[in-house]
Amino acid sequence: MNNAKKIETWFDLVRILVAVLVAYAIALVILALISDDPLYVIQQFIVGPFSSFRRFGNILSTMIPIIFTGICMCFVYAINKFNLVGEGAVNLGGCLSACVAIALSNKVPAWLLLIIVLVVGCLAGMAASLIPALADQIFHADVCVVSLMMNYILLYLTNYILKYRIKDPGSSITASYKWAPALKFRNIIPKTSVHAGLIVALICVVLAAVLFYKMSFGFKMRIVGLNPVFAKYIGIPVVSTIILAQVIGGAFAGLGGTVQVLGMFSSYQWTALTGYGFDGLMIAVLARKNPALVPLSAFLIAYIRTGADIVSRTTDIPPEFVSIIQGIIIVLVAAEMFLSGFKRRLIFNSAKKALAEKEGKA
Amino acid sequence: MEALKMENITKIYPNGFVANKGITFSVQQGEIHALVGENGAGKTTLMKVLFGMEQPQEGAIYVNEKKVKISSPLEAIELGVGMVHQHFMLLPSMTVAQNVTLGMEPRKNGLVDTQKAVQITQEMSDKYRFGLDATARVGDLSVGLMQKVEILKALIRGAKVLILDEPTAVLTPQETRELFEQLKLLRTEGHSVIFISHKLEEVMELCDNVTVLRHGYCNGTHPISELDAAGISRLMVGRDVVLKIEKEDPKPGKPILEVRNLTRTNAEGKKTLNDVSFTIHEGEVLGIAGVEGNGQSDLSDSISGMVSYDSGTVKLNGKDLKGMKIVDIRSAGMSVIPEDRMTVGCVNDLSVQDNAIADRFDKKENMNGIFLDKKKAKSITDALIKEFEISCDSQDEAIRFLSGGNIQKVVVAREFTSGANFVVANQPTRGVDVGTAEMIRKYLVRQTREKGIGSLLISADLNEILEVSDRLLVMRQGRIVAAFPKANVVDVDELGEYMLGIRTMTAQEMEGVL
């Protein structure tokens, strides 16, 4: 195998590990200034998430929704359109699924209702994502701006539905009527909050990876994303591929909203954006837009989140500061150019060596 | 006095391409010096070296007889060398004065002194009779005036030597005449001008001396008074290595591609194709010669469906291609070897295999039900690698790790095996090594003769076009200006004269050859 390629492949892994270490080192320095016991804080951050079964469970349940949005962003990112509607798609998917679940509870069998609800989530996400995609293609409205605005439109639309259409007046908090308990995802690991949604998420990972790498649409999509001029020249329908990729991505985000709502709650309660959509972008970047790597990068993000949560609850560090540390880690991990000079030197040296060997033989 | 001297310049690019070989070139103070040569002769590289955009491996540069090192355009400007690029480097939303004084704005109390900027710009423009309004927005100016802004930018930074890279390519004849007057005025003021051009009549009219480059070598500097246009053309084009290709005479069959009255206006409003008509038959290679930028790219893009055209028809195997999707054009029998393999011909980050099968992976026989058939893809690619002698470590290797010649082989392999009976080969051997170039040429001829496909060869390489083509057309300014029934007996000097606009054939002369 070509040396340069080998170096590039290995380098990504090494780079992420080094980035995490550097980030923790920076965090340690800052913590030394504001904490009485910085080593303890760091220890909680790093090993805390693995210190008990329940905490490890927290990592897994944190992963569930962001696997869906991570897959969503892999599709969007693959065709180079920054459609950030994942956020709104999650809310819309969750809310419309809840409406259907409430309306049809005890009217159709639970298994059928579950399927209907999941399909509604997908459709909601597809619709949410289609709007910025079309605006981009037809009106050349920047897909990034339109999708960010869409997120707020969808948030307030779902807030309206929650407060004026499905709110349970008997509830002390802002929550909808409850749906049939049979609909709620069961816990799959006792004494944790890990629910069956994790299985749905992993099935989606497999589906997305197959679509990406085993089917012609995935291949077309990757070509369009990497070189649209070539795609046009070779006869791939560029516009429809771009729109379809975004719609498929939206379906996964919408489904993620449904799964999260059914897994964590027995009534619909979201009144703010969840942040899962933006996590999805980060995960897709980390996974190098490969859906098969999404669980891994989702695990990394969930691990950092869980560690941060533990630190803010068990130490003297305020939660705001924890968010800063988390930010440092993520920025360094996501920075593609981090250590790139080092990589170039490695490739250059190996090329020089190969040349010298060749000349030696000749 | 010598304003500038470049001595023994050798420039090798990181991919091993030798663009300049021991070129010595000097410019006197107060002269207009022409630098001419075919595309790829090394003119642009030489000027990039002079302007500090490229570093040579060997050689020295002297400015005012002092040895200097120019490692960036900023240093070049400091030494009094200014460059007017072919593609203007201007900010359209800002005024003339803002553009001209950008980065060196006059200041008052720490703020930009707009009035002063306008004043010095206006004075300079008036001095050289550029006729510019310093307060006008650059975006509102004509191309000719934008070029004046570029020149002014160089002059205000103290340029004594001005490099103009094909300045008249974008100008109307009237604007060209005006530019020449102003350049002559600059010459009397003691400035030196390096004038890069393809248009020999302009060189004859304007310049004092001419330096000819060919294939990276300097072919001498001559006073214009000792040469005529035909003489320069001979120095520029002159055949050195003649690559002979053995081929029998074509036996043209029925027409495959019929182009009728094709006319196209590009986004800038320039007519790039003007009433182009020709027919290509089974079993023949039609060559199109011409100085680059005379509509060849638009012709190949229009035929292959990459761009739309104003009027005319393109028929492939009897089907009118107008408005057809590219995928359908391809299945109607079209294959294309594009001019720019890196941006059009392949996807850098995908593997050799992905690139080789990009046009056929979703054909029914190459799919496994609804899934891609990896085994089939591998066997198709293996066969192509073997047949076309593509050297790569593995077919899963990203194509960007291959050499230029091998990348081109992948493109050629894909296009020649797509099952099409017509191929557009646009500069198929540009920038590839001699061996690969020869192989591609022979393959093109063999496919045409043995399989009876029709080929359109567009090339700036005269050896190639004369050896490979059966019939030969010459394009200039979007028109067919000459047609020869047998390419391999065409006199290269005569061809050069048609390419450079010294001669044009009448419609009667071309009848029956189109």
Side-chain angles (χ1 to χ4, degrees):
Chain A
M1 197 166 96
N2 189 301
N3 270 328
K5 192 187 174 185
K6 233 190 288 185
I7 292 170
E8 286 197 355
T9 314
W10 276 105
F11 197 80
D12 267 351
L13 199 67
V14 176
R15 192 183 54 77
I16 288 180
L17 285 177
V18 174
V20 171
L21 288 180
V22 171
Y24 281 131
I26 294 174
L28 187 62
V29 171
I30 304 172
L31 282 172
L33 296 174
I34 65 160
S35 170
D36 299 333
D37 194 356
L39 279 177
Y40 176 71
V41 175
I42 285 287
Q43 187 223 350
Q44 285 298 304
F45 215 144
I46 297 173
V47 299
F50 297 113
S51 63
S52 80
F53 196 64
R54 194 179 47 79
R55 284 174 171 178
F56 185 70
N58 280 348
I59 302 182
L60 296 185
S61 61
T62 309
M63 273 171 72
I64 298 170
I66 58 181
I67 286 179
F68 287 98
T69 52
I71 298 172
C72 163
M73 289 313 294
C74 280
F75 279 89
V76 172
Y77 190 33
I79 42 99
N80 260 326
K81 287 283 174 192
F82 283 84
N83 184 338
L84 300 174
V85 81
E87 203 65 38
V90 167
N91 281 56
L92 189 68
C95 178
L96 295 188
S97 299
C99 293
V100 174
I102 294 163
L104 297 183
S105 270
N106 305 322
K107 286 181 192 139
V108 293
W111 64 269
L112 179 62
L113 182 53
L114 182 63
I115 293 173
I116 294 173
V117 166
L118 292 179
V119 168
V120 166
C122 287
L123 292 176
M126 289 162 96
S129 182
L130 181 64
I131 294 170
L134 286 181
D136 175 46
Q137 289 300 330
I138 298 172
F139 303 115
H140 295 279
D142 189 283
V143 70
C144 188
V145 173
V146 174
S147 58
L148 285 174
M149 295 316 296
M150 275 299 290
N151 285 339
Y152 289 97
I153 294 172
L154 295 175
L155 169 65
Y156 291 108
L157 175 69
T158 54
N159 274 355
Y160 161 77
I161 294 173
L162 172 58
K163 286 179 185 158
Y164 296 97
R165 296 288 168 201
I166 55 173
K167 188 173 185 305
D168 180 359
S171 166
S172 56
I173 53 164
T174 309
S176 72
Y177 293 105
K178 289 187 165 50
W179 44 78
L183 221 48
K184 186 167 174 7
F185 281 139
R186 234 170 298 157
N187 257 14
I188 52 169
I189 304 178
K191 288 189 217 154
T192 66
S193 50
V194 183
H195 55 81
L198 185 62
I199 297 167
V200 182
L202 294 177
I203 293 173
C204 285
V205 167
V206 174
L207 281 180
V210 167
L211 189 50
F212 247 69
Y213 294 104
K214 301 280 175 207
M215 297 179 74
S216 67
F217 176 74
F219 191 32
K220 286 181 188 165
M221 189 173 71
R222 284 182 292 136
I223 290 177
V224 169
L226 290 169
N227 187 346
V229 183
F230 175 82
K232 182 180 176 192
Y233 147 79
I234 209 75
I236 293 171
V238 176
V239 171
S240 61
T241 305
I242 287 178
I243 293 177
L244 195 54
Q246 294 176 69
V247 169
I248 294 174
F252 282 104
L255 183 62
T258 308
V259 167
Q260 186 67 358
V261 163
L262 293 186
M264 302 302 283
F265 312 101
S266 45
S267 62
Y268 183 72
Q269 303 173 4
W270 281 336
T271 52
L273 292 176
T274 56
Y276 299 144
F278 296 127
D279 283 352
L281 175 62
M282 207 149 64
I283 287 166
V285 170
L286 282 180
R288 299 281 176 272
K289 53 188 149 178
N290 177 351
L293 294 179
V294 161
L296 235 110
S297 50
F299 183 86
L300 180 67
I301 299 292
Y303 159 70
I304 295 170
R305 289 245 192 284
T306 308
D309 189 45
I310 293 167
V311 167
S312 67
R313 278 187 290 112
T314 60
T315 67
D316 56 347
I317 301 300
E320 288 80 5
F321 189 76
V322 172
S323 300
I324 294 176
I325 298 179
Q326 194 181 315
I328 295 174
I329 296 173
I330 290 165
V331 164
L332 277 173
V333 170
E336 292 197 30
M337 292 306 285
F338 179 58
L339 292 180
S340 70
F342 182 57
K343 174 168 82 175
R344 235 175 289 142
R345 261 201 308 283
L346 279 180
I347 293 179
F348 184 66
N349 285 341
S350 103
K352 254 201 333 210
K353 220 171 92 193
L355 201 68
E357 267 170 29
K358 218 160 123 190
E359 281 171 353
K361 265 186 217 153
Chain B
M1 195 179 84
E2 243 169 26
L4 178 101
K5 182 173 185 185
M6 300 180 79
E7 197 174 62
N8 199 23
I9 300 288
T10 295
K11 168 70 196 173
I12 307 169
Y13 281 102
N15 62 7
F17 180 71
V18 184
N20 288 161
K21 287 168 239 174
I23 293 182
T24 296
F25 167 75
S26 66
V27 179
Q28 303 297 317
Q29 199 194 333
E31 75 158 331
I32 301 180
H33 195 117
L35 187 63
V36 300
E38 282 188 280
N39 295 302
K43 300 174 304 238
T44 306
T45 303
L46 189 67
M47 289 303 107
K48 279 184 174 171
V49 168
L50 177 58
F51 199 54
M53 292 157 80
E54 296 283 355
Q55 298 309 309
Q57 270 68 33
E58 280 170 33
I61 302 175
Y62 301 85
V63 173
N64 293 326
E65 296 171 351
K66 254 203 329 259
K67 188 168 172 176
V68 294
K69 195 178 169 318
I70 305 178
S71 49
S72 75
L74 278 179
E75 290 179 38
I77 290 166
E78 202 123 294
L79 290 164
V81 177
M83 183 147 178
V84 176
H85 296 270
Q86 209 174 348
H87 304 283
F88 301 143
M89 314 261 179
L90 295 171
L91 302 165
S93 61
M94 294 173 86
T95 67
V96 171
Q98 280 170 324
N99 267 284
V100 167
T101 59
L102 191 71
M104 46 172 291
E105 298 87 350
R107 280 166 197 281
K108 198 166 74 184
N109 308 327
L111 296 172
V112 174
D113 187 347
T114 315
Q115 261 178 343
K116 185 83 186 297
V118 169
Q119 187 201 330
I120 53 179
T121 306
Q122 197 63 56
E123 275 170 12
M124 200 76 161
S125 165
D126 295 345
K127 179 176 166 196
Y128 294 105
R129 296 181 214 145
F130 280 2
L132 284 166
D133 171 9
T135 56
R137 225 175 55 101
V138 164
D140 299 333
L141 300 180
S142 70
V143 174
L145 286 176
M146 283 193 206
Q147 191 174 53
K148 303 284 155 55
V149 179
E150 277 279 3
I151 298 175
L152 212 53
K153 246 169 73 181
L155 290 176
I156 217 155
R157 283 163 176 74
K160 298 300 281 179
V161 179
L162 264 183
I163 307 166
L164 298 175
D165 189 0
E166 298 200 35
T168 60
V170 289
L171 300 183
T172 64
Q174 292 79 359
E175 286 173 323
T176 302
R177 269 200 298 280
E178 206 182 301
L179 174 70
F180 284 5
E181 288 315 308
Q182 286 146 357
L183 292 181
K184 284 173 183 167
L185 188 64
L186 282 170
R187 173 170 63 186
T188 12
E189 295 262 332
H191 287 85
S192 308
V193 176
I194 300 173
F195 183 81
I196 303 177
S197 181
H198 281 304
K199 299 181 185 164
L200 297 188
E201 65 270 40
E202 294 179 355
V203 169
M204 297 299 298
E205 184 194 331
L206 179 70
C207 303
D208 305 302
N209 289 296
V210 57
T211 295
V212 184
L213 300 187
R214 198 169 86 210
H215 295 175
Y217 290 96
C218 177
N219 219 354
T221 298
H222 309 268
I224 287 287
S225 51
E226 291 177 8
L227 284 171
D228 56 5
I232 300 177
S233 148
R234 213 161 24 244
L235 285 172
M236 268 171 69
V237 184
R239 282 218 241 192
D240 39 9
V241 217
V242 180
L243 292 159
K244 275 281 169 209
I245 289 184
E246 295 298 327
K247 59 174 190 193
E248 64 266 39
D249 284 339
K251 300 179 195 69
K254 60 179 200 304
I256 291 185
L257 184 87
E258 293 163 87
V259 176
R260 291 285 168 273
N261 313 103
L262 194 61
T263 298
R264 172 166 207 268
T265 311
N266 69 5
E268 283 91 54
K270 200 174 156 193
K271 239 186 199 175
T272 49
L273 292 177
N274 197 341
D275 201 22
V276 173
S277 299
F278 57 83
T279 305
I280 299 177
H281 305 86
E282 280 178 341
E284 70 165 351
V285 181
L286 176 72
I288 295 210
V291 172
E292 245 173 286
N294 276 277
Q296 297 96 320
S297 304
D298 277 48
L299 178 64
S300 113
D301 285 351
S302 300
I303 291 175
S304 60
M306 290 294 277
V307 298
S308 57
Y309 38 89
D310 312 346
S311 61
T313 53
V314 178
K315 270 192 193 168
L316 179 63
N317 294 315
K319 254 187 224 154
D320 190 343
L321 301 185
K322 181 128 203 164
M324 269 169 78
K325 284 190 259 172
I326 290 187
V327 64
D328 298 329
I329 295 179
R330 277 184 169 263
S331 42
M334 173 86 61
S335 62
V336 183
I337 300 168
E339 179 175 23
D340 186 342
R341 63 176 162 271
M342 297 317 284
T343 58
V344 184
C346 72
V347 185
N348 290 317
D349 287 328
L350 287 182
S351 67
V352 173
Q353 185 193 77
D354 288 345
N355 276 288
I357 60 158
D359 66 326
R360 65 199 69 165
F361 64 92
D362 58 350
K363 297 257 180 334
K364 214 169 176 186
E365 67 271 21
N366 299 334
M367 294 279 290
N368 186 359
I370 56 163
F371 297 110
L372 299 172
D373 189 341
K374 275 279 159 192
K375 267 192 213 142
K376 189 77 189 281
K378 187 171 182 325
S379 71
I380 293 174
T381 314
D382 272 334
L384 294 181
I385 288 177
K386 198 154 164 257
E387 185 180 355
F388 288 84
E389 293 162 19
I390 298 162
S391 122
C392 57
D393 291 333
S394 118
Q395 54 170 279
D396 298 321
E397 182 178 10
I399 199 167
R400 68 191 150 97
F401 289 121
L402 270 56
S403 72
N406 278 303
I407 294 175
Q408 187 71 346
K409 279 187 193 172
V410 175
V411 176
V412 168
R414 182 185 64 220
E415 296 303 316
F416 274 134
T417 56
S418 66
N421 70 344
F422 176 73
V423 61
V424 179
N426 193 353
Q427 316 285 3
T429 63
R430 167 180 293 167
V432 306
D433 55 287
V434 183
T436 304
E438 197 187 345
M439 183 190 138
I440 292 173
R441 287 172 193 145
K442 285 191 171 150
Y443 208 89
L444 183 67
V445 171
R446 207 166 68 222
Q447 288 278 308
T448 314
R449 290 293 188 275
E450 288 172 9
K451 301 239 172 88
I453 68 166
S455 308
L456 174 66
L457 172 67
I458 298 174
S459 179
D461 180 334
L462 291 186
N463 278 320
E464 171 171 287
I465 205 109
L466 293 178
E467 277 307 313
V468 177
S469 314
D470 298 317
R471 273 185 302 142
L472 181 63
L473 309 182
V474 179
M475 257 186 109
R476 198 179 70 235
Q477 293 170 353
R479 286 175 180 279
I480 305 291
V481 293
F484 303 95
K486 273 175 86 79
N488 49 6
V489 297
V490 172
D491 177 57
V492 76
D493 296 330
E494 192 188 340
L495 178 62
E497 289 176 5
Y498 285 111
M499 283 169 58
L500 296 163
I502 301 169
R503 292 168 66 176
T504 303
M505 277 191 193
T506 61
Q508 283 85 358
E509 281 178 284
M510 291 192 280
E511 215 179 285
V513 189
L514 289 177

